[in-house]
């Protein structure tokens, strides 16, 4: 089996300026990878760079997954790349009951979690070596949908279908997704607003593991998928038992 090494690998994380992606960047840098974090906001990327301690192995790139021309240009100019990860999601304004759903907000979820990942594969896969991988992030909403979350539930499910199809089409590249449960990250301000802490605490009591997720739990799972040469088309559920309750 080809050994998949993280040390010395060049890894791109779209969504690396916040939450799970930021913690993943810290972990990969500590393991000796060269890391590029990408997102739409230059300010968030600069803040992430400061939080990571401005390491020499870190690059940042302003990139919007909703813009095909930006994705094409990014991969034309990005230099060597061994693995691609996307933890990006734009769910602002998407958590509503049907009467209040705005198509523009639903469209941004689709762009960040379906069309964007499709385009990452279109332009990124040709840049990867045969031992390369793409790891996406879906989510437990596909399995345990909540009222107000229909768009996110559907898009997560669609992304998982895409993962299986791409694992066949792009072989021997490995294409996988981690499906997180509820994880305490900045995204919750869009989902629950001021009720974030109370909502997460209530879920912690319900879950078999007795707590909600930490970004480190998901970063660990993504590292596994990058490093395991036998995993492809896999949806790795890391959700504290949420699908069981
Ligand atoms: N946290 C949870 O409980 C949970 C549960 C299930 C699934 N998930 C999934 O896990 C992934 C990571 O979530 P998180 O909680 O770490 O989220 P987060 O903290 O909100 O981070 C999201 C990242 O995505 C970037 N982003 C958003 N839209 C983008 C776009 N169009 N193009 C490029 N970058 C974009 C953001 O930066 P900019 O805004 O600057 O672009 C940010 O860096 C997401 O796919 C989310 O749906 C999360």
């Amino acid at each position: 089996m080809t050994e998949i090494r993280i040390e010395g690998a060049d890894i791109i994380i779209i969504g690396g300026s916040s939450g799970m992606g930021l913690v993943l960047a810290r972990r990969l840098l500590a393991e000796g990878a060269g890391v590029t974090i990408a997102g739409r906001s230059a300010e968030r990327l600069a803040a992430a760079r400061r939080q990571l301690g401005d390491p020499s192995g870190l690059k940042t790139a302003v990139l919007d997954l909703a813009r095909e021309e930006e994705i094409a240009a990014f991969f034309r100019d990005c230099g060597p790349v061994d693995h691609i990860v996307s933890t990006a999601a734009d769910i602002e304004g998407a958590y509503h009951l049907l009467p209040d759903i705005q198509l523009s907000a639903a469209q941004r979820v689709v762009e960040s979690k379906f069309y964007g990942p499709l385009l990452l594969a279109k332009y990124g896969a040709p840049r990867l070596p045969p031992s390369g991988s793409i790891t996406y992030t879906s989510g437990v909403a596909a399995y345990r949908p909540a009222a107000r979350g229909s768009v996110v539930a559907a898009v997560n499910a669609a992304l998982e279908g895409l993962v299986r199809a791409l694992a066949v089409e792009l072989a021997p590249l490995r294409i996988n997704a981690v499906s997180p449960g509820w994880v305490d990250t900045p995204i919750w301000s869009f989902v629950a607003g001021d009720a974030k802490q109370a909502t997460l605490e209530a879920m912690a009591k319900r879950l078999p593991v007795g707590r909600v997720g930490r970004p480190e739990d998901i970063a660990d799972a993504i590292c596994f998928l990058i490093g395991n040469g036998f995993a492809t088309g896999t949806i790795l559920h890391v959700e504290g038992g949420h699908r069981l309750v």
Side-chain angles (χ1 to χ4, degrees):
M1 187 184 86
T2 315
E3 194 186 2
I4 313 287
R5 288 173 61 84
I6 283 182
E7 185 181 8
D10 290 299
I11 303 176
I12 293 166
I13 309 169
I14 300 96
S17 61
S18 179
M20 300 171 195
L22 178 57
V23 168
L24 176 66
R26 188 186 301 282
R27 161 110 179 232
L28 293 173
L29 286 161
E31 292 190 19
V35 174
T36 301
I37 56 171
R40 293 167 300 178
S41 160
E43 290 74 27
R44 286 186 95 179
L45 290 164
R49 174 181 278 287
R50 285 193 296 278
Q51 280 186 60
L52 292 169
D54 199 10
S56 58
L58 178 69
K59 291 192 266 187
T60 61
V62 175
L63 176 65
D64 186 347
L65 284 186
R67 295 177 187 276
E68 180 168 5
E69 68 282 3
E70 283 188 23
I71 298 172
F74 172 78
F75 282 107
R76 198 177 53 232
D77 304 334
C78 72
V81 47
D82 296 296
H83 304 280
I84 300 167
V85 177
S86 181
T87 59
D90 180 355
I91 63 160
E92 188 171 2
Y95 270 82
H96 286 295
L97 297 175
L98 284 179
D100 298 320
I101 283 186
Q102 300 292 318
L103 201 56
S104 56
Q107 191 65 39
R108 282 187 283 103
V109 181
V110 180
E111 285 168 348
S112 58
K113 293 205 67 162
F114 185 78
Y115 290 139
L118 181 73
L119 294 170
L120 284 176
K122 176 178 175 181
Y123 294 101
R127 301 295 314 270
L128 295 173
S131 58
S133 71
I134 307 178
T135 307
Y136 297 115
T137 315
S138 58
V140 72
Y143 301 84
R144 284 289 175 275
R148 303 195 309 123
S150 54
V151 173
V152 173
V155 174
N156 284 334
L159 176 60
E160 294 185 2
L162 181 69
V163 163
R164 289 184 282 272
L166 293 180
V168 173
E169 178 171 338
L170 298 176
L173 299 179
R174 294 174 304 105
I175 317 295
N176 296 295
V178 61
S179 176
W182 290 18
V183 179
D184 189 351
T185 72
I187 209 169
W188 275 90
S189 56
F190 297 126
V191 183
D194 292 343
K196 168 180 174 173
Q197 228 35 58
T199 308
L200 291 177
E201 278 168 22
M203 177 54 77
K205 291 196 182 101
R206 270 181 60 198
L207 290 176
V209 296
R211 66 171 176 87
V212 296
R214 304 179 186 112
E216 287 78 4
D217 298 319
I218 308 307
D220 191 50
I222 294 174
C223 287
F224 170 80
L225 290 171
I226 293 172
N228 188 301
F230 202 50
T232 193
T234 294
I235 311 300
L236 181 52
H237 298 277
V238 184
E239 33 77 300
H242 193 152
R243 285 174 305 149
L244 306 175
V245 297

